[in-house]
Amino acid sequence: MSASIVDVFLNWEVISRYLPDILGSLVYTIGLAVLIVAGGLALGTVLAVARSAGSRPLAALIVVYVDVMRTVPPMVYLIIVFFCAPYLGLTLSPFESTWLTLTLILAAFIEECVWVGIRTLPAGQVEAARSTGLSWLRTMRHVVLPQAIRMMLGPITGKIAAITKETALGSVIGLTEILGTAESASSNSGNPSTLTVAVVLYLMIFVPVVVGSRYLEKNWNWKT
Amino acid sequence: MAYPILEIVGLQKRYGDNTILKGVDLSVMSGELVCIIGPSGSGKSSLLRCCNRLESVQGGQILLDGEEVTRFDIDLNKLRQKIGMVFQSFNLYPHLRVLENVTLALRHVKKLSRKDANAKAVDALTKVGLADKLAARPGELSGGQQQRVGIARAIALDPKVLLLDEPTSALDPELVGSVLSVMKSLKGFGITMLVVTHEMGFAHEAADRVVFMDGGVVVEEGPPQQIFNAPQQARTREFVGRYTKGH
């Protein structure tokens, strides 16, 4: 047996040839992930606050949005965004399409987490803040959200880890992030070793995220 | 000259078909310490919570220093700066330090600078004997200390009336005394207080006036000597008797 598993999946010759390209693609994956987290957290929090504002129609609309975003596979939305945007007069690059799609999806999950956090907070917290004359919005910002988000930090970072790794979907619309680059390298070389590299890189990026989320969940609690 | 700072006239409060307050009349003079006593379910807490409109009001009027609290278009955020509230369960903000618990409203409601807010908060915390706990988290404090932070948070805004809703009911017996003595010292600073309490000893000794509520109405009010030693109403006699027998 000359073609051992090492030759197929850990072929150093192939790996060293394509490694610079793959490492270059890291920028896209990490940059995209950071922007998705920023956008998703911001939009998700705004939606959760809007949902608690007391308007039933608005709350219902947000629930519909959240459910729709969570139930359809992300890839479907990505394709819709990428291929439909031009008809709306928008030309979105693969990077922009992937960012927008995953931000909208992450926001739905974050909204759900933050909403649960808001609902779980004892009513006395809001009463105390309002009794000192703080407006509803300031109460949300200074008293409710800091506690709701910390309470739900575990689930929130879990969703972040789950959605940011979907940046790999960008490869289907030609985004040169890690998976896309590794995949085209493997078809060019006829050897899947570059995919092994992709696996290692994904582990290097997302294991810290997952471990970090577990750490935060454990250590961000405080006695009341 | 003492004048009525808080006037409650014919106050009615309903939850659905359940009438909690059936026309309550009560006035509190400036600088006065008034204790409300009565069995649970008598509407004491609801009465307090109507005064800063944490609860809606279905009938009657509340006037704070001549201003109608119960008007439908009143600016609640402005009103609430003038009425401090202390809660049975403290309701401190667990994610903020003691100092920040007190400065939050000073900074974002009174719009004080950080420096001025801190100075005012330290002053309030000194009054409750916690000037050495500024950097602590609420969770690191005893219940009695937490409630004193709750009091500091309320008095830092210089309210015209301080409402205290069973401030010692959630405390271990050995911690009750520290909170009660802080309340007595606040009276020395001229702070007007309306207190719902089950501490009959405190009401007897420290209150200027005691109000006995039962079934959503004020049954009897008067100086503590009258309520505790010579109650005029049979229901007052029965309630007070139950407490004094226990001692």
Side-chain angles (χ1 to χ4, degrees):
Chain A
M1 285 267 288
S2 56
S4 72
I5 190 164
V6 173
D7 289 326
V8 176
F9 290 101
L10 275 176
N11 187 315
W12 292 113
E13 193 266 323
V14 173
I15 289 175
S16 57
R17 195 176 348 139
Y18 290 100
L19 194 59
D21 284 352
I22 301 178
L23 288 179
S25 68
L26 259 178
V27 179
Y28 287 98
T29 296
I30 294 176
L32 195 53
V34 169
L35 291 175
I36 290 166
V37 171
L41 276 178
L43 180 61
T45 305
V46 167
L47 287 173
V49 170
R51 187 173 164 190
S52 353
S55 156
R56 272 171 186 241
L58 182 61
L61 212 62
I62 292 169
V63 171
V64 169
Y65 170 82
V66 166
D67 287 350
V68 167
M69 291 317 279
R70 293 193 308 170
T71 39
V72 176
M75 168 109 72
V76 177
Y77 286 122
L78 181 60
I79 291 168
I80 292 174
V81 167
F82 185 64
F83 290 106
C84 290
Y87 294 99
L88 299 171
L90 278 169
T91 313
L92 296 178
S93 68
F95 187 90
E96 289 162 344
S97 304
T98 313
W99 173 76
L100 181 64
T101 307
L102 294 182
T103 294
L104 292 176
I105 295 171
L106 180 60
F109 282 103
I110 298 292
E111 189 283 332
E112 206 54 23
C113 292
V114 176
W115 166 250
V116 169
I118 292 174
R119 288 300 300 264
T120 319
L121 203 66
Q125 288 289 309
V126 174
E127 287 186 351
R130 298 304 306 275
S131 80
T132 60
L134 276 180
S135 67
W136 182 81
L137 212 52
R138 283 189 186 279
T139 299
M140 291 305 282
R141 184 172 146 216
H142 295 290
V143 175
V144 176
L145 284 178
Q147 296 187 64
I149 290 172
R150 269 179 242 193
M151 198 187 305
M152 298 303 289
L153 214 52
I156 286 172
T157 42
K159 296 302 176 198
I160 285 174
I163 299 299
T164 47
K165 67 177 184 249
E166 299 288 340
T167 49
L169 289 176
S171 62
V172 294
I173 54 169
L175 181 66
T176 51
E177 45 65 70
I178 295 174
L179 181 62
T181 312
E183 216 169 29
S184 58
S186 94
S187 7
N188 289 343
S189 63
N191 180 290
S193 293
T194 50
L195 292 174
T196 310
V197 176
V199 169
V200 172
L201 290 178
Y202 277 118
L203 286 173
M204 281 167 59
I205 299 172
F206 291 110
V207 164
V209 175
V210 172
V211 171
S213 100
R214 193 174 301 142
Y215 173 83
L216 289 174
E217 199 167 8
K218 258 192 182 160
N219 293 284
W220 269 96
N221 286 323
W222 59 85
K223 286 180 257 163
T224 49
Chain B
M1 196 42 211
Y3 59 98
I5 191 119
L6 182 70
E7 292 172 274
I8 301 167
V9 186
L11 189 69
Q12 293 183 30
K13 166 78 200 161
R14 280 188 299 275
Y15 294 102
D17 291 336
N18 192 7
T19 306
I20 306 291
L21 299 174
K22 302 169 182 166
V24 171
D25 299 293
L26 179 66
S27 64
V28 179
M29 298 296 189
S30 76
E32 208 179 14
L33 188 140
V34 175
C35 284
I36 306 179
I37 61 171
S40 31
S42 57
K44 311 181 297 289
S45 289
S46 296
L47 175 65
L48 233 51
R49 292 165 60 86
C50 285
C51 291
N52 68 353
R53 295 279 303 274
L54 280 181
E55 300 286 351
S56 61
V57 169
Q58 275 74 45
Q61 273 191 332
I62 300 174
L63 300 171
L64 176 72
D65 207 5
E67 186 185 17
E68 192 183 336
V69 169
T70 34
R71 223 179 53 213
F72 71 98
D73 61 345
I74 193 166
D75 183 339
L76 286 177
N77 297 334
K78 278 215 177 102
L79 162 76
R80 286 170 177 156
Q81 295 173 47
K82 300 178 207 158
I83 306 188
M85 185 144 200
V86 174
F87 299 86
Q88 178 177 357
S89 49
F90 328 136
N91 297 351
L92 297 185
Y93 315 129
H95 60 300
L96 298 179
R97 297 179 186 283
V98 163
L99 183 69
E100 297 162 330
N101 262 273
V102 182
T103 54
L104 186 67
L106 291 171
R107 299 207 54 205
H108 296 287
V109 179
K110 294 274 191 199
K111 307 285 181 197
L112 297 186
S113 68
R114 182 184 292 273
K115 191 166 156 272
D116 292 347
N118 284 355
K120 216 155 177 14
V122 169
D123 185 45
L125 286 162
T126 306
K127 282 181 181 157
V128 300
L130 288 175
D132 58 334
K133 297 287 185 193
L134 303 181
R137 302 265 178 201
E140 298 160 8
L141 302 179
S142 74
Q145 290 171 328
Q146 289 191 49
Q147 189 58 296
R148 281 145 64 196
V149 175
I151 292 172
R153 176 172 66 182
I155 62 170
L157 294 163
D158 295 323
K160 295 183 174 177
V161 177
L162 186 59
L163 309 170
L164 299 103
D165 187 5
E166 302 198 24
T168 58
S169 296
L171 297 176
D172 292 335
E174 73 270 22
L175 300 174
V176 169
S178 71
V179 172
L180 294 181
S181 68
V182 161
M183 287 159 63
K184 279 184 222 164
S185 76
L186 291 185
K187 192 166 148 49
F189 292 112
I191 295 176
T192 310
M193 281 176 277
L194 183 58
V195 190
V196 168
T197 186
H198 293 293
E199 293 293 328
M200 297 303 151
F202 173 77
H204 198 160
E205 169 196 350
D208 295 305
R209 208 144 43 86
V210 176
V211 175
F212 171 64
M213 279 183 74
D214 192 13
V217 293
V218 171
V219 175
E220 182 172 355
E221 62 170 294
Q225 295 77 4
Q226 173 196 325
I227 301 293
F228 291 107
N229 302 335
Q232 312 288 305
Q233 302 290 328
R235 273 194 285 173
T236 316
R237 208 170 303 137
E238 187 201 341
F239 178 78
V240 171
R242 233 183 302 150
Y243 268 90
T244 39
K245 257 179 233 144
H247 281 278

